[in-house]
Amino acid sequence: MELETADLSQLHSSDALEVTNSKDELFKADHLKAGMKERAVKSTGITLAAQCITLILQLGSIAILARLLEPSDFGLIAMVTVFTGLALQFMEGGLSMATIQRDQITHAQVSNLFWVNVALGTALCLLGILISPLVAIIYDEPRLTLVMAAMSLTFLIGGLSVQHDALLRRQMRFKAISVIDIVSMTAGIIAGIAAALGGLEYWALVISPITTFITKTVMRWLSARWVPSMMSRGSGVRPLLDFGANLTGANFIGYMATNLTPFAIGYIGGTQSLGLFNRANMLTSIPSRQMLPPAMSVLQPTLARVANDPERLRSTITTVMGKLVLGTMFVTLTMAVLADWIVQLFLGSGWDGAVPIFRVLAVFTLVEPIAGFLAVSLVAIGNAKALLRWKAITLSILIVSVGIGSFWGAVGVVAAYVFSGVFIRLPGFLYYASWFLPVNFGEFVKSLVPSAMCSLGTIAVLFFLRQYIVIVNPIVGLAVFIVAAALIYLVLCLLIKPTRRELIETLDLLKLLTSRKLASK
């Protein structure tokens, strides 16, 4: 339990030093299997609390930077992040999850993986600098040469701490991870705002992530208190590299699928259209990006520990799926109704063009948590190859959809991205995943329909109310309608047996979260 609850200050204690005296002691995870449910709930609570803080920080930075910078500044950086984000997938090489997922792992194996990550990060940094003129030529934007070269430094910095982060997650030390995330994000935001105030314009959006990466890398090393040894032969690292290669392939194709849309918008509509899409997408994805990563980071080691028990795995997947859908469907569909107020509040004047894009993207964000959870489940059982195949199918569907949508310009691209995701890619993934997981397609659908009915009923009432209740102030409007939406949704959920059961079970988990049951272990 000490490994789970230790924070950064505790890492300097004599107890922590005793735990790390034996090199391989840090890599054992058998003790985590006892009280897995309680441990997972507690860990989720810690990470969700941290995400609330990072959400406030992120919303604040969005509101401030949107007023200090122009839409074209965000569009310029978005052009580069299409490439840098792709390279980050290769920097990790799927080796972080290889460390987390493996039931037994050694110091020598993780050390070898560390040097592979460092090599990948260095190579990608040099490659990014070399191709920076090509990126500028593709978009016909000379400023991208220096921006791309500077952003490539994140690969080198990030590669130094991939395995340190993996070890913290393997040991489910989410308190330390949360502190690292909050402090590093704060440092990056402060640096970015200071640069914007200093008149550096789009360079503020370059300085911010570099500062975040530097801070995060230093803090991970201090937290894990693990120093890798030199590379060695005969450590049995080959299966881990194979797993990582399949997962990297899946992440690479998945990233291509995700960024095909912004690339097409930037290519067809230019910086202005891409800037509007970028900010609308940033706002609509905040709930899933804030809720999903902490939940998935806890579920990764949790599912990996029960992967060899099909019945226990099935129970865990169906339980999580029901509660995940219960919350995400309500949030994302409600955002679609309140799109104009949200954009006005967080982006200010001059961003009216982002409202219709925001509204459509809000509908799509209900897909991401479900698809993300299915992907984590496949990886947890060690079947990264199945995920790789599905990502290839997804990319093919999206290429065809975006190609058709491009005939109607940037708006058509967005529509094709959203509707193909909701009506083709998500149902397809649910069916495909049922081939490999101990949950059939009918059970997946059964977990989705009740929450979907309650969410659709809620937005129908909200649309009706907005026709007769006129509120000019966006803050007042959001406050009134969010409360109204929550009450309507709660009533509808209580009227339907499956959602009523999910609510009761969620309350039980909240009671467990606030208990001190694990404190004595």
Side-chain angles (χ1 to χ4, degrees), residues 62-331:
I62 289 174
I64 294 172
L65 289 174
R67 287 163 173 80
L68 294 175
L69 303 174
E70 297 296 326
S72 59
D73 293 328
F74 292 99
L76 190 72
I77 302 303
M79 289 176 173
V80 171
T81 54
V82 169
F83 297 94
T84 57
L86 174 61
L88 286 173
Q89 303 297 324
F90 286 100
M91 178 201 74
E92 184 175 324
L95 303 180
S96 174
M97 191 57 203
T99 298
I100 296 171
Q101 188 270 341
R102 188 83 167 185
D103 196 42
Q104 300 293 331
I105 200 166
T106 66
H107 169 79
Q109 289 174 328
V110 180
S111 294
N112 283 354
L113 295 181
F114 168 83
W115 291 111
V116 172
N117 284 130
V118 171
L120 288 171
T122 303
L124 288 169
C125 177
L126 295 175
L127 179 62
I129 294 172
L130 288 174
I131 69 169
S132 56
L134 178 61
V135 174
I137 292 172
I138 291 174
Y139 284 107
D140 192 23
E141 177 53 75
R143 293 176 294 176
L144 292 180
T145 300
L146 288 178
V147 171
M148 179 67 189
M151 290 288 280
S152 296
L153 293 174
T154 58
F155 313 143
L156 178 62
I157 300 166
L160 294 169
S161 65
V162 171
Q163 290 304 314
H164 292 77
D165 179 58
L167 288 173
L168 292 174
R169 295 182 186 280
R170 178 180 175 83
Q171 291 294 328
M172 300 185 74
R173 292 173 55 189
F174 293 103
K175 195 170 191 179
I177 293 169
S178 297
V179 172
I180 292 170
D181 289 343
I182 292 171
V183 174
S184 61
M185 175 179 279
T186 302
I189 290 172
I190 292 174
I193 293 175
L197 289 171
L200 295 182
E201 298 177 339
Y202 57 87
W203 282 105
L205 303 176
V206 177
I207 293 171
S208 180
I210 291 177
T211 303
T212 298
F213 267 91
I214 292 174
T215 306
K216 188 171 290 188
T217 295
V218 172
M219 293 186 71
R220 284 173 177 173
W221 274 72
L222 293 175
S223 265
R225 296 187 66 84
W226 173 70
V227 178
S229 59
M230 298 303 294
M231 290 195 74
S232 59
R233 293 179 179 272
S235 65
V237 77
R238 182 59 182 271
L240 297 173
L241 294 175
D242 290 341
F243 176 89
N246 282 319
L247 185 55
T248 298
N251 289 338
F252 167 72
I253 297 174
Y255 186 84
M256 291 287 288
T258 300
N259 287 275
L260 176 63
T261 300
F263 176 81
I265 291 172
Y267 187 79
I268 295 171
T271 57
Q272 183 72 15
S273 296
L274 183 55
L276 293 172
F277 174 84
N278 178 265
R279 291 298 89 183
N281 189 49
M282 173 70 73
L283 282 176
T284 55
S285 62
I286 280 178
S288 61
R289 281 189 294 105
Q290 293 299 318
M291 300 294 288
L292 193 60
M296 295 303 122
S297 65
V298 174
L299 286 170
Q300 282 178 343
T302 300
L303 292 172
R305 300 291 80 83
V306 300
N308 294 325
D309 185 343
E311 186 55 37
R312 195 174 178 187
L313 179 62
R314 175 186 170 280
S315 175
T316 302
I317 290 175
T318 53
T319 298
V320 172
M321 179 71 83
K323 292 164 184 57
L324 185 67
V325 172
L326 186 69
T328 55
M329 278 202 177
F330 163 70
V331 172

Side-chain angles (χ1 to χ4, degrees), residues 413-495:
V413 171
V414 175
Y417 169 68
V418 170
F419 293 120
S420 69
V422 175
F423 297 109
I424 300 176
R425 286 178 283 143
L426 177 60
F429 196 12
L430 289 169
Y431 180 72
Y432 178 83
S434 68
W435 294 358
F436 306 96
L437 298 173
V439 184
N440 62 50
F441 180 69
E443 289 175 313
F444 278 133
V445 173
K446 187 177 179 181
S447 66
L448 295 176
V449 172
S451 296
M453 292 173 58
C454 294
S455 298
L456 291 173
T458 300
I459 65 171
V461 175
L462 291 181
F463 266 121
F464 176 79
L465 292 176
R466 288 210 63 178
Q467 304 303 313
Y468 297 96
I469 301 177
V470 179
I471 301 176
V472 177
N473 189 304
I475 298 177
V476 175
L478 287 172
V480 171
F481 273 80
I482 287 175
V483 172
L487 291 174
I488 296 167
Y489 188 66
L490 178 61
V491 170
L492 292 176
C493 286
L494 290 174
L495 292 175

Side-chain angles (χ1 to χ4, degrees), residues 12 27 30 32 136 190 201 278 370 390 412 465 487 489 503:
H12 299 287
F27 311 103
D30 291 340
L32 299 175
I190 292 174
E201 298 177 339
N278 178 265
I370 302 170
W390 173 252
L465 292 176
L487 291 174
Y489 188 66
L503 283 174

